[in-house]
Amino acid sequence: MDIVDKMFQGDRLALARLLSILENNTPEVPLVMSRIQQNQDNGYYIGFTGAPGSGKSTLVDKMILQIRNNNLEVGVVAIDPTSPFSGGAILGDRIRMQNHALDPGVFIRSLATRGSLGGLSRAAKNTARILNASGKDYCIIETVGVGQVEIDIVDTADTTVVVLMPDTGDSIQAIKAGIMEIADIIVVNKADLKGTDQLIADLMLMLHENQRHSWWQVPVIATQADKNIGIKELFEKIEEHKEVLKDTGMLVAKRKEQRVSEFMEIIEQTLLDVILESQKDDSEFCEIINNVMAGLIDPYSAAKKVFGNENLIKRWMMRLSSEILIERRRVDA
Amino acid sequence: MDIVDKMFQGDRLALARLLSILENNTPEVPLVMSRIQQNQDNGYYIGFTGAPGSGKSTLVDKMILQIRNNNLEVGVVAIDPTSPFSGGAILGDRIRMQNHALDPGVFIRSLATRGSLGGLSRAAKNTARILNASGKDYCIIETVGVGQVEIDIVDTADTTVVVLMPDTGDSIQAIKAGIMEIADIIVVNKADLKGTDQLIADLMLMLHENQRHSWWQVPVIATQADKNIGIKELFEKIEEHKEVLKDTGMLVAKRKEQRVSEFMEIIEQTLLDVILESQKDDSEFCEIINNVMAGLIDPYSAAKKVFGNENLIKRWMMRLSSEILIERRRVDA
């Protein structure tokens, strides 16, 4: 029996090893992902996003307990705002893990930024897919800030929860503008702070003026995660949104979109990988790069030269067709 | 005389029209960028990044005045944290513009997120390049938050200034970890707030433990931008960093790296554009996508099919070679 089968049978060690395959982006990734494809949509994807300091991690922690109290299982993917350069980890998950370490119904994985954020969000999505495929009822994807990763994550989440807090200063208008478009549910956490009522009133007004869907009115929920206030209401709203998505056929439509966006990502990433690779060892490509570096040719004219070079393109194509090799074989990682 | 020539001669209207070409990503972009290539490195690039609410915009505003007091010209590209979905603008620049509207030595351009953040950061970089090519001594690139855009911007900035403020709560450790790797200068703004001394002490300790370059010790500067405190010191440090980069040959090396990264971006983006285009009108590619959407084939196996399809690849190649058409002709935009 290989580790994918073991994972399907509930083996936590096998699950952890599969997730390491994703993080390290080894050549087994395509194989693993095509093996789990039929099962990745069994669970439900919840996205949590918000600025640093909004108390989002505490909120997620309480949400885990809430889900467990309902006798359901949950996976968590947390994307840590660490250095994109050093790849240094933050260990947020290890601290949180302690609260759930003895609970076999919880699996938390934290991903630190390494290399491109594009690579990170792909690893995060695949991690979420494997967690759901492993039999979790929910997978929570937790991200920080407002940026590309969040946008990518919205593609993956069935319900997106945006966490705000009062008193974030002058740029609240700016933050809100982006939020209106991604939030299915808005949480105002730290709701004992000054400015809570005003923030909620502002949000209600903006939501009233910008209703995205006739079938869903985005709710604003006040929480104090550290005191467990508002958590049950939040979970109920997530459940309500889930039911609406199911009843309207939106969930099926989302799954279709998610599959296409996964496909397009794979196509794009494979192309980029091949080009980066040839930057190391294709002498003709390297010569063009050297000329660009020396300022002998401008980048656009150089690009024109590349795309006009049939032999170079042919070499890329040969690499491309050998890049993705999927067979239904064992994964012995 | 075409608008590129007019821009070189100081015509503000021509400059504004060139920047619109970039923002709207019209087919003239390659032509414009290859025309200005020889001049884009005349000026100096300063990056400002920091979380929303750190007072970064006020700081940049005061920096503009400081540069103008030294009788030098400055361009500003501000990336606004607006909705990546609606593309709605924030108008921050229009408010700030009023302070400098009558000053011909200042040119401010604000870019809102539209489409991908990748597209945004490319437009922002090109805007900065044109501002420098137009004869500005400095170009300030202002971004928000910690994300892909910031990382991209670091590639472009010669000196990167990271703006912090005291009292940003529990995630300061996380924020700092990323900052250490990108900051050439750290500013603690709103330095009258509680926690300033502690933050500076923490930063100094972290900097002491993580010195990146033997030739540059990252300084921490306390400012109160709204009261114009610390601005002169900041400008002097930027000048000092600039001199060090020049003396060590690092500036020349940076320019080389910047050209290569611009080239690689163009290659990648052109490829992605071609694939997105064929998603609309290539019947063979559309059929594969439909099968993915219906769940009849998993995305990785579908990607393998695509890269094994010689005819499809050939059609992509034909599009690629016709995508970048650069001639040294007039730009009548």
Side-chain angles (χ1 to χ4, degrees), chain A residues 8-237:
Chain A
F8 278 134
Q9 301 198 352
D11 184 329
R12 282 175 79 90
L13 191 60
L15 175 56
R17 288 170 88 178
L18 286 175
L19 297 182
S20 297
I21 288 176
L22 295 186
E23 271 189 82
N24 298 325
N25 199 23
T26 66
E28 285 88 4
V29 172
L31 178 55
V32 170
M33 294 312 297
S34 67
R35 284 280 297 282
I36 66 147
Q37 226 253 332
Q38 296 302 318
N39 301 82
Q40 71 188 34
D41 290 345
N42 293 352
Y44 190 79
Y45 298 96
I46 308 170
F48 273 83
T49 188
S54 60
K56 183 170 28 65
S57 296
T58 310
L59 195 67
V60 168
D61 194 45
K62 294 297 160 65
M63 189 54 53
I64 293 169
L65 293 173
Q66 180 68 40
I67 291 170
R68 294 297 294 141
N69 287 342
N70 289 27
N71 221 6
L72 297 164
E73 301 204 351
V74 58
V76 178
V77 189
I79 299 179
D80 269 334
T82 37
S83 163
F85 297 88
S86 70
I90 260 249
L91 315 183
D93 63 324
R94 294 184 205 181
I95 295 159
R96 271 190 280 159
M97 273 299 253
Q98 293 172 355
N99 294 336
H100 308 286
L102 299 174
D103 183 346
V106 178
F107 200 102
I108 301 177
R109 189 78 169 197
S110 172
L111 299 177
T113 325
R114 69 173 70 186
S116 73
L117 285 178
L120 176 71
S121 79
R122 205 167 48 255
K125 285 178 190 184
N126 283 343
T127 299
R129 287 168 187 140
I130 290 194
L131 286 170
N132 272 356
S134 78
K136 298 284 172 270
D137 300 286
Y138 294 93
C139 183
I140 293 174
I141 305 161
E142 179 189 335
T143 64
V144 172
V146 175
Q148 186 61 51
V149 174
E150 282 67 32
I151 301 166
D152 286 353
I153 291 310
V154 170
D155 291 346
T156 305
D158 299 317
T159 298
T160 298
V161 179
V162 174
V163 184
L164 301 179
M165 57 173 286
D167 249 346
T168 40
D170 50 1
S171 54
I172 187 70
Q173 287 302 120
I175 296 168
K176 277 190 290 194
I179 283 164
M180 291 296 143
E181 313 261 347
I182 67 169
D184 297 310
I185 295 170
I186 295 177
V187 167
V188 175
N189 194 29
K190 304 193 179 180
D192 49 338
L193 291 183
K194 194 183 64 154
T196 300
D197 293 345
Q198 185 60 48
L199 176 57
I200 292 177
D202 286 355
L203 288 166
M204 297 299 280
L205 183 65
M206 286 188 81
L207 287 166
H208 182 72
E209 286 168 355
N210 299 282
Q211 185 161 357
R212 262 190 307 156
H213 305 296
S214 58
W215 43 269
W216 181 251
Q217 175 65 52
V218 175
V220 179
I221 300 174
T223 62
Q224 296 176 52
D226 54 348
K227 291 173 191 148
N228 218 22
I229 295 173
I231 306 300
K232 191 160 167 283
E233 292 76 2
L234 173 56
F235 183 66
E236 284 165 2
K237 274 294 172 196

Side-chain angles (χ1 to χ4, degrees), chain A residues 249-261:
Chain A
M250 289 301 298
L251 192 59
V252 172
K254 260 185 191 254
R255 292 281 182 262
K256 286 185 179 178
E257 275 173 37
Q258 286 161 6
R259 281 195 284 262
V260 172
S261 96

